[in-house]
Amino acid sequence: MNEKTAQAKERELSARLLEEIKRLTAGRKQPMRLMEVCGTHTVSIFRAGLRQLLPPEVELVSGPGCPVCVTPDGYMDEAIAYAGMEDVIVATFGDMLKVPGTSSSLAEAAARGGDVRIVYSPLDALAIAKENTGKKVVFLAVGFETTAPTAAAAVLTAERENVGNFFLLPAQKLVPPAIGALLSDEDARIDGFLLPGHVAVVTGSEKFSFLAEEYYLPGVVAGFSPTELLRGIYRLVRQVTAGEAHIENEYKSVVRPEGNPAAQKMMDRIYETCAAEWRGLGEIPDSGLRLRDEYSRFDFSAARPLDLPPAPPKKSGCRCGEVLQGKILPKECRLFGTACMPEHAAGPCMVSAEGVCAAWYKYGGGIFQYG
Amino acid sequence: MDETIQLAHGAGGRMSALLTEKVLRPILGNPILDRMHDGATLDMGEKIAFTTDSYVVAPRFFPGGSIGRLAVCGTVNDLAMTGAEAKYLSLSLILEEGLAVEELRRVLRDVRAAADEAGVAIVTGDTKVVGHGAGDGIYINTAGVGEIIAGVDIAPQNIRPGMDVVVSGFLGDHAATITAARHGLKLPETIQSDAAPLNGLVKEMLHAVPEVACMRDPTRGGVAASLNELAAQSGTGILLDEELLPVRPEVEGVCELLGFEPLYLANEGKLLAFVPAEKTDALLDVMHAHRYGKEARRIGTVTEKAPGQVAMKTALGGVRIVDMPTGSLVPRIC
């Protein structure tokens, strides 16, 4: 099949899915609220111009699926403090550079002379450690189930190769407990979940069955192309209108019910679950990963504890917390697009490429009307 | 703006614009500089164009080019975008103590080859050496002068609603190559930097279709940055069509992996042209006949609606904004 025919087929399929979604939801009194949990989904939805194609009866809200966004101020303050130390190299995913801590950011720490390196993988950070034996290299281990296995692999490699100057600043988080926490809030009004494809590759789709069993809510694991997203949304709409609740997998090419056992084993070997602080959601039991005792020597916050004052609550009026819970839309925040823009962000949701506020801002304030 | 220079100030997006608008122009502004095009056109008897650019790139050598080839092509292309034929270049080198002379020779041979291909002469230059650790091997600045081709008038202010937007070929090859080289990603050998002098292509375009209203080479910040600048400068809207954008699947793949968009990737041998719609076919015909324009195509139109904004009709039929990039491209976490 040549490229043009494939494109035409996709377009035709998308048009039919949209038609079906419209037909199924026509005349609903209250719009159904579907939450996409993953930041990459959020951005893909905006890039495809999907929001404006959906009928008003289907509302998409974004959840806490941007790793940068849910990282609390206190963690940034620690990373910034370490970046200011002579013998430390901070290695991080680029997204973290501009996230504001209490009074500064890593980008500013780098401009002041701190050694902050952007890496694409924890293994790059390990390579930096091997090249700079006189320095301590601290990798900012943030992210979800998608990044935890590679961080685990880096630790295991460092152990095997006796690299003594490689550390993590661990703040890895798990998605399913956060969804559970969202739903235990009485204000949560969510009718179904578009589940994160990449996370599910590791966890498996079964990990999300609690949604149907405990909360009687449907969930669909979806891929990232416009048509895959539409397919996922259509499946959710179909379940909601039929009053059903089960977990479907629309990303079968890469997601298995049981996930990736090798990655899970690797994580399990070096990490154990712990309570973790999420920006906006507060502390959620069993939603974080910390290094097991055997590997705690790789935890830089233990190797060199800091005595920082707890991050004070933000006075700026930033409402990232509520945005991350799907309680308000970015445009309902007083700062959105005025005091808070990508160049000078008040909160992390405007900083990260995958942040909800950044996506709203970048792609025209939600539903964009041309002209 | 922040009180220290950050990397994003050099990335071609909004932070770069802030540096220009808040720091450079208030001190250095004058009527010629304030036209804010890729090069200045000067009236010194003959109409000539003048531009300068500095080159810092890691790695210094990459598939399809090197810092030396970039230093010539970038300046030649900036001149070409003003409708000028480049004649003479200056070459300033800032070398870091400890750089191998053989490496410098390799760079210079690339400079020479690109200059020969473009038909320009390096007529003046300068060399400075900074201490070990004070530079990154080699920095190059080139300045260039050229003669404005008779009868053409290329300026952002000439862009009018109804015109077509044309691009000369595949988007993002250069940035994808550099990113892959920097991070050890394996790309098929078919993907390499597009660094190329465009003066030959431009000359043929302007000879066949002197009505071309404006051109720009979408380097740092990519097509998105260039079009946003031009929309603002011309007071028109620009509507792209996603299905018409030429992007190689391999480049698309790099973008998906790292969370980039091809529209924001730098190109070093591509141009955007604005042309009255009735002349588009004639323009594409001459472009297709040139080695650097084989994949040229129309990608959008200039609109009266939404002045100053760039938008794109998506493959699904939605319309979304194509915003100015805000800082350096950084890979996403997951």
Side-chain angles (χ1 to χ4, degrees), chain A residues 4 7 11 14 40 46-50 52-53 67-68 93-96 98 107-108 111 118-120 142-144 146-147 198 226 230 342-343 354 361-364 368 370-371, chain B residues 2 4-6 8 14-15 18 179 183 237-239 242-243 252 258 260-262 264 303 305-306 309 311-312 314-323 326 330-334:
Chain A
K4 279 276 165 261
Q7 253 180 16
R11 217 179 14 234
S14 303
T40 312
F46 275 99
R47 279 183 63 178
L50 243 178
Q52 56 187 304
L53 293 171
V68 169
F93 295 126
D95 272 30
M96 300 286 283
K98 291 179 75 180
E108 285 164 14
I118 293 181
V119 294
Y120 285 57
V142 297
F144 300 125
T146 40
T147 56
H198 294 147
L230 253 185
E343 311 84 84
E354 309 233 305
Y361 184 84
K362 184 170 173 188
Y363 296 112
F368 170 60
Y370 186 61
Chain B
D2 299 303
T4 46
I5 292 294
Q6 300 179 21
R14 221 186 292 267
M15 293 279 279
L18 271 179
T179 308
H183 300 284
I238 295 173
L239 183 62
E242 187 172 30
E243 293 200 323
E252 197 88 66
L258 301 174
F260 296 162
E261 275 187 69
Y264 293 89
T303 64
K305 274 214 282 194
Q309 252 179 13
M312 179 158 77
T314 68
L316 287 188
V319 177
R320 57 114 160 152
I321 277 193
V322 176
D323 193 28
T326 41
V330 290
R332 64 147 183 263
I333 292 181
C334 70

Side-chain angles (χ1 to χ4, degrees), chain A residues 22 60 76 108 120 177 188 282 301 318 334:
Chain A
K22 282 183 188 149
L60 296 179
M76 294 316 301
E108 285 164 14
Y120 285 57
S301 60
C318 165
R334 193 169 53 79

